[in-house]
């Protein structure tokens, strides 16, 4: 389904122009309008999914398969030193556009991008509890 008030639905489906690198029937690959670094790319679904909790696993799989192809093309042409691939879900996680998209952020020696967090701790009991909780839903 497309959503009438969603800017990424309009971009993904070509109603609003974008700096488009690639498209197929399911996805559009564009340049981010506010790039973290040179060549910051977004992969958008043409269907509307708010986030990872809505997209089906098969579509997500095909999207990540495309991401691996795009990442290699970016590495070759941009000559970046590394790349972060990330995807924000929910306001608390930094999502600002509530239509599923994957970020491909080329990284260059000396860039000022930070994708880090303070390292926490986990006890053996908590590991067991968490493993048991999550695995029964998979
Ligand atoms: P997120 O914070 O993960 O939801 O990412 C939203 C991203 O979309 C940001 O990096 C924005 O710079 C980018 N963005 C917002 N509007 C547009 C647009 N019209 N065209 C391309 N990128 C956009
Ligand atoms: Zn949308």
């Amino acid at each position: 389904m497309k959503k009438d008030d969603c800017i990424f639905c309009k971009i993904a489906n070509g109603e609003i122009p974008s700096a488009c690198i690639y498209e197929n029937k399911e996805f559009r690959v564009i340049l981010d309008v506010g790039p973290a670094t040179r060549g910051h790319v977004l992969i958008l679904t043409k269907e509307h999914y708010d986030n990872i909790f809505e997209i089906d696993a098969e579509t997500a799989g095909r999207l990540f398969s495309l991401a691996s192809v795009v990442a290699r093309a970016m590495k070759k042409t941009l000559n970046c030193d590394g790349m972060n691939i990330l995807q924000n879900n929910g306001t608390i996680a930094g999502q600002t556009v509530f239509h599923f998209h994957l970020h491909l952020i080329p990284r260059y020696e000396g860039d000022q991008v930070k994708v880090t967090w303070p390292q926490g701790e986990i006890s053996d009991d908590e590991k067991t509890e968490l493993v048991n909780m999550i695995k029964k839903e998979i």
Side-chain angles (χ1 to χ4, degrees), residues 1-10 13 45-50 97-100:
M1 283 286 285
K2 318 283 185 287
K3 245 179 118 176
D4 284 347
D5 58 347
C6 173
I7 184 167
F8 276 10
C9 277
K10 293 190 171 72
N13 291 285
T45 55
K46 291 194 174 181
E47 289 295 320
H48 182 94
Y49 308 96
D50 279 357
V97 180
F98 294 87
H99 173 126
F100 187 99

Side-chain angles (χ1 to χ4, degrees), residues 60-130:
R62 288 189 294 276
L63 186 143
F64 206 80
S65 168
L66 173 60
S68 75
V69 173
V70 174
R72 275 194 296 277
M74 290 168 68
K75 173 96 176 88
K76 192 169 173 185
T77 52
L78 299 171
N79 202 26
C80 50
D81 300 306
M83 184 176 294
N84 290 113
I85 296 187
L86 62 94
Q87 198 270 314
N88 300 324
N89 300 283
T91 305
I92 186 65
Q95 187 175 12
T96 59
V97 180
F98 294 87
H99 173 126
F100 187 99
H101 54 282
L102 189 71
H103 293 263
L104 283 72
I105 304 177
R107 299 298 303 273
Y108 303 94
E109 292 297 340
D111 72 34
Q112 297 301 308
V113 176
K114 295 222 175 349
V115 190
T116 59
W117 50 88
Q119 222 172 4
E121 289 176 356
I122 186 165
S123 66
D124 287 345
D125 282 352
E126 198 178 6
K127 277 184 203 163
T128 306
E129 184 194 354
L130 290 169

Side-chain angles (χ1 to χ4, degrees), residues 2-60:
K2 318 283 185 287
K3 245 179 118 176
D4 284 347
D5 58 347
C6 173
I7 184 167
F8 276 10
C9 277
K10 293 190 171 72
I11 291 174
N13 291 285
E15 291 161 40
I16 293 179
S18 60
C20 178
I21 294 166
Y22 174 83
E23 72 171 308
N24 63 21
K25 68 179 190 333
E26 285 187 294
F27 309 114
R28 185 182 294 272
V29 182
I30 66 169
L31 291 180
D32 193 297
V33 83
T37 62
R38 181 169 184 267
H40 180 166
V41 158
L42 301 175
I43 303 183
L44 314 182
T45 55
K46 291 194 174 181
E47 289 295 320
H48 182 94
Y49 308 96
D50 279 357
N51 53 40
I52 191 75
F53 308 118
E54 288 197 348
I55 193 169
D56 59 282
E58 290 71 26
T59 304

